[in-house]
């Protein structure tokens, strides 16, 4: 980022940062970025999903204090806090899938709500913690299929267990902020708490089921048509580096200006990146160089939203943050990762993409 939104590398040098969910897709990219800026990083998460995950292929776990564990296990989690004494905590650990939440609602609520409570309680008990950012989702809003974007003060909700659990996580965030980390009393407790709501994120190294980009790659690698369930559904698509830049900038602001930037923040794309699922798949096929898609819409399928937009006015106006890459650039960088993931150079590729983003 070449203007006033540029992250301050000097700020992060030597900062002690804990990332929950660090072995996951977004978490691994965040850890790589933090290490590039000189942070002292620790992580707490379940084992990676596959041997081809970004976390595994990049080898980033070898460069941080990595602890495999479940956020539902409070005692183990708290021991990590006691050992690492983090100053900044990014909470990304979650059950992240809508369709999976229909099959496993209890697990979804236990992880996404109970896990959040555990992380916040560890932060409350750990004197070193100064900044906490809870990463939720754009799906935490009560989706009325509006044509305009949801703002941070719009009503929370959720039709499915996943979306509902993330809305609950937002309510937990508000309760802990009011009760224990109140901005009006920051001089006493010394902690700042915010939540971050991103759009539909994609990028290299994600192999989750029921996500459109990993699904595309699996079909393309096998030479099969890409199966599309909801080709006309509109989503706020963005490369993973876009919201991560927002989380990092927000953490800087919270650390340097306690009591000012707490609350909820949307980090989504510009209007030009609000595309149908079908249009995104066509873009992936074009960049890949071959392939096709097949519509398998099922009227009997579980409910998923058809239209979802985010309003990012607040982040632009108050943080000075803005999305950088066009949807075409985002797709190109993502496909580039997947076409090279067997090269053995993944950490180098990730670092190059982060540098390219910061210099855009």
């Amino acid at each position: 980022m070449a203007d006033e939104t540029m992250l301050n590398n000097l700020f992060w040098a030597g900062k002690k940062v804990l990332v929950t969910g660090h072995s996951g897709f977004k978490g691994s990219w965040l850890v790589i970025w933090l290490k590039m800026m000189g942070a002292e990083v620790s992580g707490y998460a379940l084992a990676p999903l596959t041997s081809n995950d970004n976390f595994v292929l990049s080898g980033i776990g070898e460069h941080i204090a990595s602890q495999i564990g479940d956020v539902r296990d409070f005692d183990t989690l708290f021991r990590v806090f006691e050992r690492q004494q983090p100053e900044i905590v990014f909470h990304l650990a979650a059950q992240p899938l809508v369709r999976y939440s229909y099959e496993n609602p209890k697990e979804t609520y236990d992880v996404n709500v109970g896990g959040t409570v555990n992380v916040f309680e560890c932060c409350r008990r750990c004197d070193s913690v100064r900044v906490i950012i809870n990463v939720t989702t754009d799906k935490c809003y009560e989706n009325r299929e509006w044509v305009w974007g949801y703002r941070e003060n719009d009503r929370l909700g959720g039709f499915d267990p996943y979306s509902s659990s993330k809305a609950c996580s937002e309510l937990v965030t508000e309760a802990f902020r009011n009760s224990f980390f109140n901005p009006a009393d920051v001089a006493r407790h010394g902690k700042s708490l915010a939540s971050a709501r991103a759009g539909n994120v994609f990028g290299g190294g994600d192999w989750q089921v029921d996500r459109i980009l990993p699904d595309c790659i699996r079909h393309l690698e096998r030479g099969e048509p890409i199966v599309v369930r909801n080709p006309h559904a509109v989503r706020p698509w963005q490369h993973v580096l876009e919201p991560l830049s927002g989380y990092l900038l927000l953490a800087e602001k919270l650390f340097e200006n306690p009591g000012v930037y707490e609350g909820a923040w949307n980090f989504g794309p510009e209007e030009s990146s609000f595309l149908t699922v079908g249009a995104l798949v066509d873009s992936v096929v074009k960049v890949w160089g071959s392939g096709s898609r097949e519509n398998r819409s099922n009227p009997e399928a579980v409910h998923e939203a058809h239209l979802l937009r985010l309003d990012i006015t607040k982040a632009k106006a108050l943080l000075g943050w803005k999305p950088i890459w066009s949807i075409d650039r985002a797709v190109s960088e993502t496909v580039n990762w997947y076409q090279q993931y067997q090269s053995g150079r993944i950490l180098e590729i990730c670092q190059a993409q982060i540098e390219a983003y910061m210099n855009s």
Side-chain angles (χ1 to χ4, degrees), residues 71-85:
V71 289
R72 292 172 291 183
D73 180 354
F74 178 82
D75 291 338
T76 302
L77 178 63
F78 186 59
R79 284 196 293 271
V80 171
F81 271 79
E82 288 186 307
R83 182 168 63 249
Q84 300 301 331
Q85 293 293 299

Side-chain angles (χ1 to χ4, degrees), residues 254-332:
L254 288 166
F255 194 97
E256 295 174 339
N257 302 275
V260 177
Y261 293 95
E262 287 81 352
W265 299 85
N266 287 341
F267 296 104
E270 301 285 10
E271 184 70 21
S272 59
S273 292
F274 288 78
L275 301 179
T276 65
V277 172
L280 180 70
V281 171
D282 290 342
S283 180
V284 172
V285 168
K286 180 180 178 180
V287 176
W288 185 267
S290 63
S292 61
R293 65 178 168 99
E294 179 180 322
N295 180 11
R296 290 192 191 171
S297 300
N298 179 7
E300 303 299 322
V302 296
H303 175 272
E304 292 187 70
H306 292 284
L307 180 63
L308 183 57
R309 297 172 183 263
L310 278 182
D311 187 306
I312 57 174
T313 303
K314 179 183 175 183
K316 282 183 172 181
L318 301 183
L319 292 181
W321 176 87
K322 64 181 179 180
I324 301 296
W325 280 354
S326 67
I327 187 64
D328 290 340
R329 178 71 182 272
V331 170
S332 177

Side-chain angles (χ1 to χ4, degrees), residues 327-343:
I327 187 64
D328 290 340
R329 178 71 182 272
V331 170
S332 177
E333 296 288 351
T334 300
V335 171
N336 176 64
W337 190 102
Y338 286 109
Q339 290 181 328
Q340 297 190 66
Y341 75 88
Q342 299 182 50
S343 69

Side-chain angles (χ1 to χ4, degrees), residues 24-56:
F25 164 51
K26 289 174 75 174
S28 65
W29 278 94
L30 178 59
V31 168
I32 292 170
W33 201 338
L34 285 164
K35 287 298 295 181
M36 288 175 66
M37 294 188 293
E40 184 179 330
V41 184
S42 56
Y44 184 87
L46 297 177
L49 183 68
T50 78
S51 60
N52 288 331
D53 279 18
N54 191 52
F55 178 80
V56 177

Side-chain angles (χ1 to χ4, degrees), residues 81-124:
F81 271 79
E82 288 186 307
R83 182 168 63 249
Q84 300 301 331
Q85 293 293 299
E87 300 168 271
I88 298 172
V89 176
F90 291 98
H91 176 42
L92 279 73
Q95 190 300 93
L97 302 173
V98 172
R99 284 159 62 89
Y100 184 91
S101 76
Y102 280 104
E103 300 168 2
N104 300 275
K106 183 181 185 303
E107 177 187 343
T108 299
Y109 283 103
D110 285 348
V111 172
N112 293 351
V113 184
T116 298
V117 172
N118 284 345
V119 170
F120 289 172
E121 182 63 6
C122 287
C123 291
R124 189 175 73 87

Side-chain angles (χ1 to χ4, degrees), residues 216-234:
C216 285
I217 301 303
R218 281 187 282 264
H219 287 291
L220 289 169
E221 287 187 328
R222 293 194 296 260
E224 302 170 350
I226 299 167
V227 175
V228 183
R229 296 192 311 269
N230 299 299
H232 304 298
V234 175

Side-chain angles (χ1 to χ4, degrees), residues 130-132 173 177 181-186 189-195 250 253-255 257-265 314 318-319:
R130 297 271 303 277
V131 169
I132 312 117
T173 305
R177 184 167 51 246
F181 312 136
N182 198 302
D185 200 21
V186 71
H189 57 72
K191 303 180 192 296
S192 297
L193 172 62
S195 62
L250 176 59
K253 298 285 190 181
L254 288 166
F255 194 97
N257 302 275
V260 177
Y261 293 95
E262 287 81 352
W265 299 85
K314 179 183 175 183
L318 301 183
L319 292 181

